[in-house]
Amino acid sequence: MGKTMSEKILARAAGVSGASAGDILWVNVDRAMMDDILGPRVEIAAKMLEIKDEVWDKDKVVVISDHYTPPASIKQAEIVKFTRDWAAAHGIENYHEFVGPCHQIMAEYGHVRPGTVVLGTDSHTCMGGALGAFASGVGSTEMLGILVTGKTWLRVPETIKVTWRGKLPPGVMAKDMSLKTIGIIGHAGATYKTVEYVGDTIEALSIDERLAITNMAVEMGAKAGLMAPDAKAVEFLAARGITGGYELIVSDADASYCATHDFRADALGPVVACPHEVDNVAPVGDVKGTAVHQAYIGSCTGGRYSDLEAAAAVLKGRKVKKGVRLLVSPASQDIWQRASASGLLATLAAAGAVILAPTCGVCVGLHSGLLADGEVCISATNRNFIGRMGSKNAKIYLGSPLTVAASAITGKITDPREFVREVGA
Amino acid sequence: MNGIVAGKVLKYGDNINTDIISPPQYMELSIPEAAKYAMSAIDPDFAAKVRQGDILVAGVNFGSGSSRETSPLTLKHLGVGAIVAKFFARIFYRNAINLGIPVIECADTDKISDGDLIEIDLAQGVIVNKTKNEQYACSKIPPHILALIGEGGLVPYLKKTV
């Protein structure tokens, strides 16, 4: 019987010859990532003083201030300062701030490599699975243990195989595939499991697009969302100076899966996740016409270059509807600069978009654009829980960057194919 | 610990996620301050009514969403003595154990009502509903995890054992 990627990567990390789903292993962690909101300030700094105030390997620890940047209050500023000072005091060279959401930075700065184990204090750490890493979110106390020992125990998860075949039609994005999958598997359907995405549709996607899918594996309760690392992953890393020192670990053809799901990309239309659960997924036509007050394109899910490019193609020469605010936060400083140099940001701004700093702030309702009572937001982000982006009496619909852009133009939830056909995309 | 937890039930439904338990807007506050807003999106009176040793009982998928340990930290600060649900989201489950909060899976939580007095035998996997004179099977907590919970969580456990 063959092995899954999860079984192989975790066996390698534990230094054992083989592992099977259900085994509990002590694994060596290749990268331990902390952000500002859930990093040293929560339990970690204080408790390390009581145990051992030194990290096991300074080069393997990455600290990223991204949630409270730029700070909107003195308290937020104090948290960023605390995080920065803690990183400096512990000799962490891999400290980044104000450059974008941690998961995008982890990928861009080469911290996520195929075949490795990456754990972080943020649930969307699973995004790194698009590059073939076993990447997963952990809590603060768990991270504390990793920081002082370099190890943690992990149960090797069973794997659900999700196969996507066929070509995505115009106006339909990887984000729609992500939401469709979650709608079928359910918000707890993959609890404690790995979701492995395969098929010719996945193979045809860029790394940008793949990241939008693995990012949301946790929205099914999954521990990891994996894709086989291929030539595109190698190229993505090489462009960032990482040319070796990792292993391309893929599942065997006869690996054992606990469940399989098959999807057709060519039959998929734009979908949205309706309030207040991510698996409350419906074709965009079902909620067409719902008035929106805010439209948001950004975050580690929906703020990459290809997302901005798709939105700009629809918004070029058009205007955001009066009474609607369109906020755009490129997912990293690098994306911001590229989108600026290529004119994408100017196109979006000319349509009426407000261009923000790269940040987690809007997605999780910390700053830069919260929702008031009774407001509705259409968002390219990953979670629509009650109260997440501001008032508990606001509603959040999740959709692709194209759906968000189209809805910003009309002021109501809109099928982007109405515009995409016109621009011939 | 003797492995018995008893308390009054505070009953909630399915999918009590981390944005509900620990609303993001208040996460910049200290745990005692943030705890005042725990569960406020679905129950504004939660922080005021929870008493030391109360037991949260809920439906499926408790603690879904974020990895934020502020969720179990605020519940612990408010005195929650245990959480019973049909099942838990993965990261919350580990966080709760690491903080010394007993988390128990029970298929029969629909039979338990707000205000019931229940007693949980963590080692044997039995919940006794003293108010309704009923008994339900629940998940057992193995001895090594029970020892960790008894010490108050992973950090005190490590300080004592390592």
Side-chain angles (χ1 to χ4, degrees):
Chain A
M1 180 63 77
K3 296 291 185 189
T4 62
M5 281 177 75
S6 291
E7 290 169 330
K8 291 188 194 180
I9 296 171
L10 294 178
R12 178 206 144 273
V16 298
S17 58
S20 299
D23 291 352
I24 291 176
L25 303 175
W26 278 95
V27 301
N28 293 301
V29 176
D30 296 291
R31 282 294 182 283
M33 188 280 293
M34 285 176 282
D35 52 21
D36 50 359
I37 190 168
L38 295 167
R41 66 176 282 246
V42 180
E43 297 292 279
I44 295 171
K47 297 289 165 57
M48 271 179 73
L49 288 173
E50 297 174 22
I51 297 177
K52 183 185 170 196
D53 197 25
E54 203 179 331
V55 303
W56 98 101
D57 187 336
K58 294 178 172 66
D59 295 334
K60 291 184 176 172
V61 178
V62 186
V63 182
I64 302 170
S65 291
D66 56 354
H67 282 66
Y68 290 132
T69 53
S73 67
I74 295 167
K75 279 201 168 65
Q76 294 184 3
E78 295 290 351
I79 291 168
V80 176
K81 179 168 180 268
F82 182 86
T83 308
R84 181 190 301 124
D85 291 349
W86 187 93
H90 291 79
I92 311 298
E93 304 242 332
N94 296 313
Y95 173 73
H96 313 289
E97 61 177 19
F98 289 74
V99 288
C102 55
H103 313 302
Q104 181 64 21
I105 299 312
M106 287 294 283
E108 280 187 10
Y109 285 62
H111 293 303
V112 179
R113 301 178 192 186
T116 64
V117 172
V118 177
L119 299 176
T121 58
D122 188 290
S123 61
H124 296 106
T125 302
C126 57
M127 186 173 98
L131 291 167
F134 190 93
S136 192
V138 297
S140 305
T141 300
E142 192 105 60
M143 179 55 70
L144 163 70
I146 295 166
L147 291 176
V148 296
T149 66
K151 296 177 197 293
T152 194
W153 64 268
L154 290 175
R155 180 180 171 279
V156 182
E158 290 81 11
T159 298
I160 297 173
K161 181 157 126 181
V162 168
T163 307
W164 277 92
R165 296 206 182 282
K167 191 170 179 291
L168 276 176
V172 188
M173 299 184 74
K175 176 65 175 287
D176 296 301
M177 295 167 62
S178 188
L179 290 173
K180 178 71 184 176
T181 308
I182 295 163
I184 297 297
I185 292 182
H187 57 198
T191 297
Y192 239 110
K193 298 184 172 69
T194 290
V195 176
E196 190 177 320
Y197 300 87
V198 303
D200 57 271
T201 322
I202 302 292
E203 289 161 22
L205 296 175
S206 66
I207 296 295
D208 259 27
E209 296 170 304
R210 293 178 192 181
L211 291 165
I213 295 178
T214 52
N215 176 282
M216 294 184 73
V218 70
E219 307 310 330
M220 296 174 277
K223 187 170 188 168
L226 296 181
M227 292 180 182
D230 60 3
K232 287 179 186 170
V234 171
E235 193 187 333
F236 179 93
L237 289 161
R240 285 147 186 88
I242 313 296
T243 53
Y246 59 81
E247 203 184 329
L248 299 176
I249 297 177
V250 300
S251 293
D252 294 328
D254 59 345
S256 171
Y257 294 92
C258 66
T260 58
H261 295 271
D262 295 295
F263 296 91
R264 290 298 314 189
D266 39 22
L268 183 66
V271 292
V272 288
C274 303
H276 297 288
E277 286 290 334
V278 185
D279 67 349
N280 193 11
V281 174
V284 69
D286 287 10
V287 290
K288 199 173 158 179
T290 304
V292 300
H293 307 90
Q294 178 163 303
Y296 180 51
I297 296 169
S299 83
C300 57
T301 313
R304 273 175 281 278
Y305 190 86
S306 57
D307 298 320
L308 305 182
E309 202 170 33
V314 163
L315 284 157
K316 192 175 173 68
R318 295 197 171 86
K319 288 284 182 196
V320 171
K321 179 86 170 176
K322 191 170 163 47
V324 176
R325 49 198 190 263
L326 170 62
L327 309 180
V328 175
S329 167
S332 72
Q333 178 70 3
D334 179 60
I335 295 167
W336 209 107
Q337 283 182 298
R338 282 159 55 209
S340 173
S342 69
L344 285 182
L345 296 187
T347 301
L348 294 167
V354 178
I355 313 295
L356 303 173
T359 182
C360 307
V362 182
C363 171
V364 64
L366 303 173
H367 57 77
S368 301
L370 275 70
L371 302 174
D373 270 14
E375 289 193 326
V376 175
C377 180
I378 177 89
S379 180
T381 55
N382 51 36
R383 230 169 242 162
N384 60 351
F385 293 167
I386 187 168
R388 181 172 177 86
M389 295 178 81
S391 167
K392 64 184 180 187
N393 299 314
K395 287 181 176 165
I396 306 162
Y397 290 82
L398 305 178
S400 76
L402 273 176
T403 299
V404 175
S407 304
I409 295 166
T410 62
K412 50 199 183 195
I413 295 178
T414 298
D415 188 328
R417 290 174 298 190
E418 291 176 23
F419 294 97
V420 169
R421 285 203 190 94
E422 285 175 41
V423 296
Chain B
M1 83 189 292
N2 65 6
I4 306 285
V5 177
K8 185 165 72 65
V9 168
L10 291 169
K11 182 74 188 289
Y12 293 93
D14 294 339
N15 305 308
I16 304 300
N17 63 55
T18 51
D19 281 343
I20 291 173
I21 304 166
S22 189
Q25 299 93 296
Y26 305 108
M27 284 173 68
E28 64 192 57
L29 304 176
S30 65
I31 293 299
E33 283 295 311
K36 294 176 186 167
Y37 304 96
M39 309 281 278
S40 57
I42 59 165
D43 184 0
D45 300 328
F46 178 78
K49 75 185 181 195
V50 59
R51 295 283 173 266
Q52 189 67 36
D54 281 357
I55 297 174
L56 290 194
V57 178
V60 299
N61 202 27
F62 190 97
S64 59
S66 165
S67 62
R68 64 187 69 148
E69 203 155 304
T70 52
S71 295
L73 277 168
T74 48
L75 295 179
K76 187 178 180 177
H77 174 80
L78 291 169
V80 169
I83 307 171
V84 184
K86 287 181 183 167
F87 64 86
F88 293 83
R90 181 184 70 86
I91 308 176
F92 182 90
Y93 186 81
R94 285 182 75 126
N95 287 348
I97 287 176
N98 282 334
L99 291 174
I101 304 172
V103 275
I104 301 101
E105 293 184 335
C106 173
D108 290 324
T109 60
D110 291 344
K111 296 177 182 167
I112 305 172
S113 307
D114 198 63
D116 285 357
L117 287 170
I118 63 171
E119 189 175 276
I120 310 167
D121 186 328
L122 303 172
Q124 296 304 316
V126 177
I127 298 175
V128 176
N129 188 329
K130 302 218 161 190
T131 305
K132 292 185 172 151
N133 203 19
E134 291 175 348
Q135 194 164 310
Y136 324 109
C138 66
S139 61
K140 295 176 189 174
I141 296 189
H144 61 289
I145 300 293
L146 207 52
L148 191 156
I149 290 173
E151 289 299 332
L154 183 65
V155 170
Y157 178 75
L158 286 177
K159 279 161 68 180
K160 198 162 174 179
T161 56
V162 174

